[in-house]
Amino acid sequence: MALGPRLDLRQSQSLVMTPQLQQAIKLLALSNLELETYIAEEIEKNPLLDTGEISAESKSDESATDLPPEPGTQGSDEILSSGPAEAESTLDMAGDADQFSNNSLSESDGALDGSLGLNDSSSSSSGAVGGEAPDFENMLVAETTLAEHLMEQAGAILSGADLFIAQHLIDQIDECGYLQADLLEFAHRLGVQLDDVKRILVEVQSLEPVGVGARDLSECLALQAKEADRYDPAMARLIDNLDLLAKGALPQLKRMCGVDDEDLMDMISEIRAYDPKPGCKIGGGDVQAVVPDIFIAERGGKWLIEVNSATLPKVLVNRTYFTELKDGAQDKASKEWLNDCLADASWLVKALDQRQRTIIKVATEIVKQQENFFREGVEHLRPLTLKNVADKIEMHESTVSRVTSNKYLSCSRGTFELKYFFTSGIQSSTGGEAASAEAVKSHIKSLIDNEDPKKILSDDKLVALLKDKGFDIARRTVAKYREALGLGSSVQRRRQKALEGKAA
C-alpha cells in the first residue's frame, strides 16, 4: 500500500450553539447583581435597548402597532421549539406561562403561588413579596478600612522614610490584623535596613487596635498583655505555650509558669478576654452584602414566590426610535446593522423573561419539596438532588444547576443559597423516609450543645442517640459531620468544659 497525501470528504453532525443560545445560558447562571451589570453593558452597546416604565396606554398602542420581526431573525420561542437537541442545550423552557402563575399543591398541603408580575416588554417583576423590596444598596455604609485607620495614626507620629516603611508594612496586614510578610525579605525589597524595619514595626504595633501588626497569635496576645500591664514572666511562658493550653495540659503549665491553680486560672481568664483578631474591630475590607434573588413568604396558607426586582432594571425595546432610524437609513449596511440591533434587543428581552420564569419554576419546586423546612426548620430538611427537581419540572439537570448557582433565597428563616437545599440523604433506621444530611448535623449540634459537662457524649453515644431518633448513621459519619460543624471530639470538649468550669 503506497503512502502519500490524499483528500477525503466526510459527512458528520455536530451541535453548534448560536451566540443567542450561548447568551441565554450565560444569563441563566448569573445572579441578579451580575445580571444588572450585564444589562447595563448591553444597553450601552445597543441603541434600541432602553430601561423604564411603560404606561398602560403606551403598551396597548405598542401592541397594536408592533413591528413584525425582520426576515432572518429568530425569537426565543422559535429557537427553543426548533428541535429537541437544540432545545435541551438551551434553557429547557417547556410549558406555557399559566403554570408559573398557578403552581399549586393540593389544598391539604398548601398552595404555591409563583408570582411574576411581568409585562410584555419587561424582564423583571413588579416588586417583592408584600410590597416594595428593601433598597439594599442604601444599607451599605462606607466604613474606614483597617489600613486607612492605621495610616491615619501612623501619619500623626511618623514622617519621611519612617512613614514610607510604615505604609508598606500596613499594606501587608490582613483583615484580622496580622502582618503577612517576612521582615528580611521585606527589607531587601524596599532597600532599607532590617533594624529600621523592626523599629518601625514596633511603632505600627503600638497603634490601635491593640495587637495589630503581630506575626502570630502568641505575639498578638503578648502585645495585648503588655498593654494591660499583665505581661510578667509567668504570663510570657503561658503565651509561648498556647499549644499545651489547647491540649488542657494544666499540670505541665503550672510547673512551667511556677504558679498555683488559682493564679493559672486567673491567667487563662485574662487570655480569654483578649481579642485574637483585633483587625476585625475596624473591618479589613469592603462589605460584601448578600442580596437575595428570590423572596418567599407565606400568605393565607399559600407560598408566594417572587424574583427580587429591586436589582433588575426593566428592559424594553425602543421601537419608536427604531422606526425613526429605519426611515433615515439609506445604504444596505446601515439597514443590516439596524436589523441586527433589533434582533439582539428582542432576543435579550425574551431571554430575560424566560430566565425569570425558569427561576420561578425551579424555586417553586424547591419550596414544594422542602415545605417542611420552611414551616418547621432545618431538622425537617429532606434529601434532594438536582436530578429530582429536573425530573419534576421536566428540564435538564444542567439547567437546574445553572439556576441554583450564585443565587440566594430569602424567607422567614433567613437567607439561604439555593444550593443549600440540595443535600445527600441518611437512611432511616425505622425504614421510613430518608433524612437530609443537614438535618442530621442539626441534631448532632443540638445533642452536643445540651450535653452534661460531667457526661460528655462520645461519638459512639451520639450514634446510639441518633439511632433512637430514627437515623441509621455510622460512627465515622458522625465524626465527619461533627468536624464539619467545628465541634471538637469528646476529649477536646471535656478539656474545654473543665477549663471553663475552673475559670468560672
Side-chain angles (χ1 to χ4, degrees):
M1 180 178 179
L3 298 178
R6 65 179 186 180
L7 294 176
D8 288 335
L9 293 177
R10 295 179 181 177
Q11 186 176 13
S12 62
Q13 291 182 336
S14 62
L15 179 63
V16 179
M17 291 196 299
T18 65
Q20 289 86 354
L21 295 179
Q22 295 177 13
Q23 181 193 53
I25 292 175
K26 179 180 178 180
L27 291 178
L28 197 59
L30 296 179
S31 66
N32 276 11
L33 294 181
E34 294 171 333
L35 185 62
E36 184 180 12
T37 303
Y38 180 84
I39 291 174
E41 294 175 354
E42 290 297 316
I43 290 176
E44 184 177 355
K45 293 188 298 184
N46 195 330
L48 299 183
L49 281 175
D50 199 0
T51 60
E53 300 286 346
I54 301 181
S55 63
E57 294 181 1
S58 61
K59 282 197 293 184
S60 61
D61 293 342
E62 182 178 306
S63 61
T65 59
D66 198 16
L67 296 176
E70 294 294 326
T73 63
Q74 193 175 17
S76 59
D77 297 335
E78 290 79 2
I79 290 179
L80 292 170
S81 60
S82 58
E86 188 172 10
E88 184 176 336
S89 65
T90 61
L91 298 181
D92 274 327
M93 298 302 178
D96 50 40
D98 292 336
Q99 69 187 72
F100 293 98
S101 59
N102 190 21
N103 283 319
S104 59
L105 296 169
S106 62
E107 291 296 330
S108 59
D109 295 334
L112 292 171
D113 184 10
S115 304
L116 276 174
L118 296 165
N119 57 40
D120 294 336
S121 57
S122 169
S123 67
S124 59
S125 61
S126 59
V129 173
E132 288 191 15
D135 189 352
F136 292 96
E137 293 184 0
N138 291 337
M139 294 182 182
L140 295 179
V141 179
E143 295 183 356
T144 301
T145 64
L146 177 62
E148 293 172 346
H149 180 72
L150 295 176
M151 279 304 302
E152 288 178 2
Q153 301 175 70
I157 61 176
L158 300 173
S159 61
D162 291 349
L163 184 59
F164 171 78
I165 297 174
Q167 180 180 0
H168 284 77
L169 282 173
I170 291 173
D171 289 340
Q172 300 299 316
I173 295 177
D174 62 17
E175 65 274 7
C176 294
Y178 289 91
L179 179 66
Q180 303 293 334
D182 180 81
L183 294 186
L184 182 59
E185 181 182 348
F186 181 83
H188 283 309
R189 181 160 54 86
L190 291 185
V192 296
Q193 296 295 323
L194 179 61
D195 292 340
D196 292 335
V197 175
K198 292 181 178 180
R199 176 173 55 84
I200 300 303
L201 178 58
V202 173
E203 297 292 339
V204 172
Q205 291 177 344
S206 67
L207 304 177
E208 293 288 339
V210 179
V212 74
R215 285 158 287 184
D216 53 38
L217 178 59
S218 296
E219 187 175 13
C220 178
L221 298 179
L223 290 172
Q224 296 180 62
K226 291 175 182 177
E227 179 68 19
D229 197 20
R230 291 294 305 271
Y231 194 70
D232 51 31
M235 179 66 80
R237 293 191 190 96
L238 179 60
I239 291 177
D240 290 338
N241 293 276
L242 294 177
D243 55 336
L244 295 178
L245 180 60
K247 295 178 181 178
L250 301 185
Q252 186 176 351
L253 286 173
K254 284 194 299 182
R255 292 194 301 269
M256 296 177 63
C257 298
V259 296
D260 56 18
D261 289 341
E262 184 178 356
D263 289 338
L264 182 61
M265 289 301 107
D266 289 341
M267 293 164 59
I268 292 175
S269 298
E270 182 74 19
I271 288 180
R272 287 182 180 275
Y274 297 155
D275 189 354
K277 297 180 180 180
C280 294
K281 293 180 179 178
I282 308 300
D286 297 333
V287 178
Q288 298 294 332
V290 174
V291 180
D293 300 271
I294 303 168
F295 292 106
I296 293 181
E298 187 178 12
R299 297 288 186 272
K302 294 184 178 180
W303 291 106
L304 303 180
I305 305 171
E306 193 163 359
V307 174
N308 180 12
S309 63
T311 56
L312 288 178
K314 294 184 181 295
V315 182
L316 54 91
V317 180
N318 194 334
R319 296 187 178 274
T320 303
Y321 189 46
F322 170 78
T323 304
E324 295 177 358
L325 292 179
K326 187 175 182 180
D327 293 339
Q330 301 296 332
D331 57 293
K332 182 178 179 182
S334 299
K335 293 181 179 180
E336 290 180 354
W337 173 81
L338 191 59
N339 289 335
D340 290 341
C341 288
L342 178 62
D344 292 341
S346 300
W347 168 264
L348 179 61
V349 170
K350 292 178 180 180
L352 290 173
D353 177 81
Q354 202 75 349
R355 170 189 180 272
Q356 184 167 329
R357 294 177 181 275
T358 307
I359 293 175
I360 289 290
K361 191 172 186 179
V362 172
T364 299
E365 184 59 32
I366 290 176
V367 174
K368 180 179 178 180
Q369 295 286 343
Q370 302 290 6
E371 186 175 9
N372 289 335
F373 164 82
F374 293 101
R375 294 188 185 278
E376 306 294 338
V378 66
E379 293 184 354
H380 297 270
L381 196 65
R382 296 176 53 192
L384 186 65
T385 64
L386 296 174
K387 189 176 187 304
N388 296 144
V389 175
D391 291 343
K392 288 290 185 180
I393 62 178
E394 299 181 352
M395 287 186 175
H396 196 275
E397 188 175 345
S398 62
T399 302
V400 179
S401 177
R402 293 187 186 98
V403 169
T404 55
S405 297
N406 304 317
K407 295 180 183 65
Y408 293 83
L409 177 151
S410 177
C411 63
S412 60
R413 298 194 174 276
T415 301
F416 303 89
E417 189 177 8
L418 286 181
K419 292 288 188 183
Y420 174 81
F421 298 99
F422 296 90
T423 60
S424 57
I426 302 297
Q427 189 61 43
S428 173
S429 60
T430 59
E433 186 179 4
S436 167
E438 291 295 330
V440 176
K441 289 181 182 179
S442 177
H443 281 285
I444 292 175
K445 187 176 186 305
S446 177
L447 289 172
I448 292 179
D449 289 343
N450 297 319
E451 66 184 351
D452 188 345
K454 297 180 180 179
K455 296 181 180 180
I456 302 299
L457 300 176
S458 65
D459 288 346
D460 290 327
K461 184 61 176 177
L462 288 173
V463 170
L465 293 175
L466 289 172
K467 193 168 185 179
D468 293 339
K469 291 178 176 289
F471 302 114
D472 188 9
I473 185 171
R475 181 182 181 279
R476 63 179 179 275
T477 308
V478 170
K480 181 180 71 173
Y481 287 172
R482 176 179 49 75
E483 292 172 358
L485 291 169
L487 301 174
S489 64
S490 58
V491 176
Q492 293 172 328
R493 300 199 308 276
R494 185 177 294 108
R495 288 173 178 171
Q496 181 181 357
K497 291 184 183 294
L499 289 175
E500 292 174 352
K502 292 181 179 180

